[in-house]
Amino acid sequence: MFDFVDPETGARGFQTMLSMRDGTRLNTFVFRPADGERFPVILQRTPYGIAKQDGSANHDVSQGWLPSTAEPLRGSILRGWKKITSRGYAAVYQDTRGRFGSEGEDRVYADDASDGWDTLAWISEQDWTNGRVGMSGSSAGATTTYAAASTKHPSLRAFWAQVGGSSIYDDVVCEGQSIEMERLWLWVAKNIPGLSASHREAARTRAGLSDAEMDDAAARAMARYNRLDAARIENPPFTSSEEWMRLPLSDYPDFAVWQPFLNEIITHPAPDEFRAAHNFRASIEIPGFHVTSWYDIFLTSVIAAFTEIQMRVGNQRLWIGPNDHYFIYEEQFWPRDPYFDWFGHWLKNEGSPLLNEPPVYFSPRAWTDDPQEYAADDWKYTDGWPLSEAVKKRLYLGVNGTISNDVSDDGARTYTYNPRKPVATYGGRNMAIDPGPKDQRLAESHPDYGLVYRCDPLNTAMTIAGPVSVDLHVSSNCLDTDFVAKLIEEKEDGEAALLMDGVTRAMLRNGTDRVQHLKSGEIVKLTIFLGHIYHTLEVGSCLRVDVTSSNFPRRARNTNSGNLILAKDGDKDIRVAQNTVHHGSGLPNVVNFWVLPA
């Protein structure tokens, strides 16, 4: 039965093509400990390959993925089968549908709930399992974990999900009802080589191309990826790149040929059944360990999963570290590695200190400029998020560009937003372009940047600890536009460090499928959610809120056309907007946040 016995550990492995309910077969590796017959199981499903990522050994279980000794915590698959089997678990790896050694078409998480259920059902029927299964994964592997957990299969007892999306469209792809572009474009292109033979054939047939033409499209897609990636070093970055600035977004050359589902991803601008089907956290009812970082693209999605499931059923844990999406793979990110403590408790009835600790553990430093020397020795415990001792604070944006405790005088401030000349992205919760608290002075040099509001220099340090939002009263001469808000620490030397940013698409400002076009002369209220943070502003710094209408390519440009599906808009649909923020006693513009008592 076994295709492989590891000479070092004695672990036994075999490969199988596991049939899903529609007959599609998914490439699956099973590794069992050297001794014993029935085991708890840790399942990991990934689109990034369960063997060599060059595709040369897709079905060879002896080449099953393992982390490098230099980076033992890196990978979508966590800890690796050797460590898992040495702890007395069976390890199951699976290529997701349409990826590497699996059949079917890759539809980017659309099938991961049902495929997850079918895989769990198969595991539960095997004579080598004791009926207790856990799931884990990082990034895309975390999203597939949330997806499977949402199905409530009775064998799945606990999960571990780090830096992944629990409601991938509402939180990430369509955050604020605006398309999150940088990750989509670079991620889709970079992952074309991992598409399986069956996916390739389905895409080739749909496009009506020959094999040679598909190869040419793949080569062009990689060349486009390289040009997109290189645009970060231009001055200004991104906005002079033909690849980034191309319209329409739909049917993007070569990318959409190889990954036709890209068109589906970007054409659900408002909440609908498609997006709701990807809200995996809504139905999860088992213990979960959630991990993210303050500048992770998935920060809000991970925190939302923890908060909602903890409120509903309890037994959740949330750890938040510093820096970006990828820092989580470094050993120094972690105060300790609780992976096997977590699964040991829920799958093997072992004692664990985790169950006696407060559920939230976080770094009070949102960013470190020296990650190699970082030491996770200052993390803090708390019973929930935001912190119970934090106090909600409201400050008003003034017509004269101030931030204060007082409601503004009457008046208005107007700026121009031309989609042909967007403001470039500098930092933030990015995944594929440079993240972090980048200096916004370069962005601010744009001739039509937008509006800046700042408070007086702080006399005492101020710690922001929790979610942040901005309420605005606005109007525009266009049927639709975006409003982007940035929270910034402006330091004494002039550096404008970006703490966080958010966006709201005006015609979908209520967060529903109800379209409310802007009308000439009409003032409307909208709220921009910026995310979560723990950060201490220094004495002498100013808290700053910037309001603009583009942050490109973190967000795709709103053409201001008023068309619901912006992904289909071309250059002819572009309108130049005059966007206005209105001030006065009846029109309060407010930044809402949580602070620790001084």
Side-chain angles (χ1 to χ4, degrees):
M1 175 180 179
F2 297 104
D3 302 325
F4 165 69
V5 177
D6 179 43
E8 178 185 349
T9 65
R12 302 160 288 171
F14 68 91
Q15 183 270 348
T16 186
M17 296 298 291
L18 185 57
S19 292
M20 301 292 101
R21 64 191 67 180
D22 64 351
T24 299
R25 300 184 307 159
L26 304 188
N27 184 38
T28 306
F29 292 170
V30 176
F31 301 91
R32 291 164 53 179
D35 299 314
E37 296 299 325
R38 298 174 71 85
F39 313 96
V41 179
I42 296 178
L43 166 65
Q44 308 198 62
R45 306 184 65 254
T46 179
Y48 298 140
I50 62 175
K52 292 183 177 180
Q53 293 192 348
D54 62 3
S56 64
N58 286 340
H59 301 107
D60 185 350
V61 68
S62 71
Q63 300 297 312
W65 185 89
L66 287 170
S68 71
T69 54
E71 296 181 302
L73 303 183
R74 182 170 295 277
S76 177
I77 295 172
L78 298 175
R79 306 307 180 264
W81 61 263
K82 282 194 177 185
K83 282 192 175 181
I84 292 171
T85 56
S86 72
R87 298 288 188 126
Y89 303 90
V92 178
Y93 291 179
Q94 189 174 79
D95 284 327
T96 54
R97 183 179 291 245
R99 302 291 302 172
F100 289 91
S102 286
E103 297 175 350
E105 286 189 71
D106 175 24
R107 299 198 306 149
V108 194
Y109 309 124
D111 299 299
D112 284 312
S114 58
D115 288 350
W117 169 280
D118 291 351
T119 302
L120 289 164
W122 177 80
I123 291 172
S124 67
E125 295 170 353
Q126 305 308 300
D127 59 8
W128 42 263
T129 177
N130 66 3
R132 290 185 170 190
V133 183
M135 281 192 72
S136 73
S138 187
S139 195
T143 302
T144 65
T145 294
Y146 282 126
S150 74
T151 67
K152 303 182 184 179
H153 193 281
S155 70
L156 187 59
R157 306 298 181 87
F159 69 91
W160 173 294
Q162 62 182 50
V163 294
S166 63
S167 183
I168 193 71
Y169 287 91
D170 292 341
D171 300 337
V172 184
V173 175
C174 302
E175 183 180 7
Q177 319 313 328
S178 172
I179 298 172
E180 205 290 326
M181 187 179 180
E182 58 93 11
R183 172 186 174 271
L184 276 179
W185 257 234
L186 292 171
W187 184 81
V188 165
K190 193 173 183 179
N191 282 285
I192 286 174
L195 293 166
S196 68
S198 59
H199 177 101
R200 172 194 169 110
E201 181 58 23
R204 185 195 67 77
T205 301
R206 186 178 289 109
L209 301 179
S210 67
D211 286 336
E213 289 170 327
M214 284 296 285
D215 290 340
D216 290 343
R220 289 194 302 270
M222 185 51 61
R224 288 184 187 277
Y225 169 85
N226 290 332
R227 291 194 294 271
L228 287 164
D229 190 50
R232 74 179 69 222
I233 63 174
E234 296 173 359
N235 187 21
F238 311 117
T239 58
S240 60
S241 164
E242 291 183 9
E243 273 73 23
W244 281 116
M245 295 288 286
R246 184 192 182 278
L247 292 176
L249 300 179
S250 60
D251 295 321
Y252 193 85
D254 306 317
F255 291 13
V257 169
W258 270 90
Q259 181 46 281
F261 204 70
L262 178 60
N263 283 341
E264 188 76 36
I265 291 170
I266 60 177
T267 52
H268 292 270
D272 59 11
E273 290 184 6
F274 174 85
R275 282 170 56 170
H278 291 79
N279 182 0
F280 303 128
R281 64 175 176 262
S283 57
I284 295 175
E285 295 182 349
I286 58 173
F289 201 110
H290 314 260
V291 194
T292 184
S293 60
W294 291 117
Y295 281 90
D296 175 29
I297 189 175
F298 298 110
L299 170 73
T300 60
S301 200
V302 173
I303 291 179
F306 164 79
T307 303
E308 292 181 21
I309 306 170
Q310 177 77 347
M311 186 177 299
R312 189 163 60 242
V313 298
N315 289 325
Q316 307 297 302
R317 293 296 181 270
L318 171 66
W319 284 24
I320 312 173
N323 285 38
D324 65 338
H325 180 80
Y326 297 100
F327 191 44
I328 201 168
Y329 300 119
E330 303 295 336
E331 289 184 271
Q332 66 269 26
F333 171 93
W334 299 86
R336 69 179 194 273
D337 182 2
Y339 184 86
F340 288 110
D341 280 348
W342 180 250
F343 285 120
H345 177 79
W346 295 110
L347 302 185
K348 299 171 74 175
N349 296 327
E350 296 174 349
S352 170
L354 288 168
L355 277 297
N356 298 318
E357 297 169 353
V360 179
Y361 198 28
F362 68 93
S363 167
R365 286 179 281 171
W367 187 265
T368 173
D369 288 324
D370 190 1
Q372 293 306 312
E373 297 301 319
Y374 172 75
D377 55 8
D378 58 351
W379 285 38
K380 299 176 180 290
Y381 285 106
T382 182
D383 288 327
W385 186 261
L387 307 184
S388 58
E389 64 268 32
V391 178
K392 192 169 185 179
K393 190 173 183 65
R394 289 165 53 90
L395 293 177
Y396 295 92
L397 311 185
V399 69
N400 55 357
T402 59
I403 299 177
S404 71
N405 291 312
D406 302 319
V407 177
S408 172
D409 293 336
D410 292 348
R413 303 180 76 195
T414 298
Y415 62 94
T416 299
Y417 163 49
N418 183 349
R420 294 187 179 91
K421 299 178 180 179
V423 176
T425 298
Y426 292 90
R429 288 186 288 109
N430 305 321
M431 180 176 177
I433 62 177
D434 296 340
K438 299 296 185 184
D439 194 337
Q440 297 302 291
R441 283 178 290 186
L442 287 173
E444 192 182 353
S445 67
H446 189 291
D448 293 318
Y449 174 65
L451 309 177
V452 174
Y453 299 85
R454 58 171 59 83
C455 73
D456 292 334
L458 298 174
N459 295 320
T460 59
M462 179 174 68
T463 298
I464 301 174
V468 178
S469 63
V470 173
D471 300 328
L472 297 177
H473 288 84
V474 300
S475 66
S476 177
N477 66 330
C478 292
L479 293 172
D480 184 34
T481 193
D482 282 352
F483 286 92
V484 173
K486 301 177 181 179
L487 190 73
I488 291 168
E489 178 181 6
E490 188 174 82
K491 301 180 181 181
E492 287 187 288
D493 63 1
E495 178 189 354
L498 177 66
L499 303 182
M500 57 209 310
D501 62 84
V503 63
T504 292
R505 185 178 175 189
M507 65 182 266
L508 297 172
R509 57 190 175 275
N510 290 325
T512 69
D513 60 358
R514 181 185 175 196
V515 173
Q516 295 176 292
H517 284 121
L518 299 174
K519 300 175 183 177
S520 180
E522 179 186 31
I523 300 172
V524 302
K525 179 184 177 182
L526 54 80
T527 297
I528 305 170
F529 177 58
L530 280 68
H532 305 259
I533 201 165
Y534 188 104
H535 176 75
T536 300
L537 283 78
E538 303 169 355
V539 172
S541 288
C542 297
L543 182 69
R544 202 172 107 179
V545 173
D546 291 4
V547 177
T548 181
S549 288
S550 55
N551 183 11
F552 181 80
R554 173 162 167 72
R555 321 283 184 186
R557 294 167 291 158
N558 192 325
T559 60
N560 305 325
S561 67
N563 297 327
L564 179 61
I565 302 179
L566 285 175
K568 295 183 178 180
D569 277 4
D571 189 74
K572 64 180 176 56
D573 297 296
I574 287 177
R575 305 289 184 270
V576 177
Q578 299 297 315
N579 293 338
T580 300
V581 176
H582 298 267
H583 297 267
S585 58
L587 302 169
N589 299 296
V590 180
V591 54
N592 306 284
F593 56 104
W594 297 77
V595 297
L596 297 186

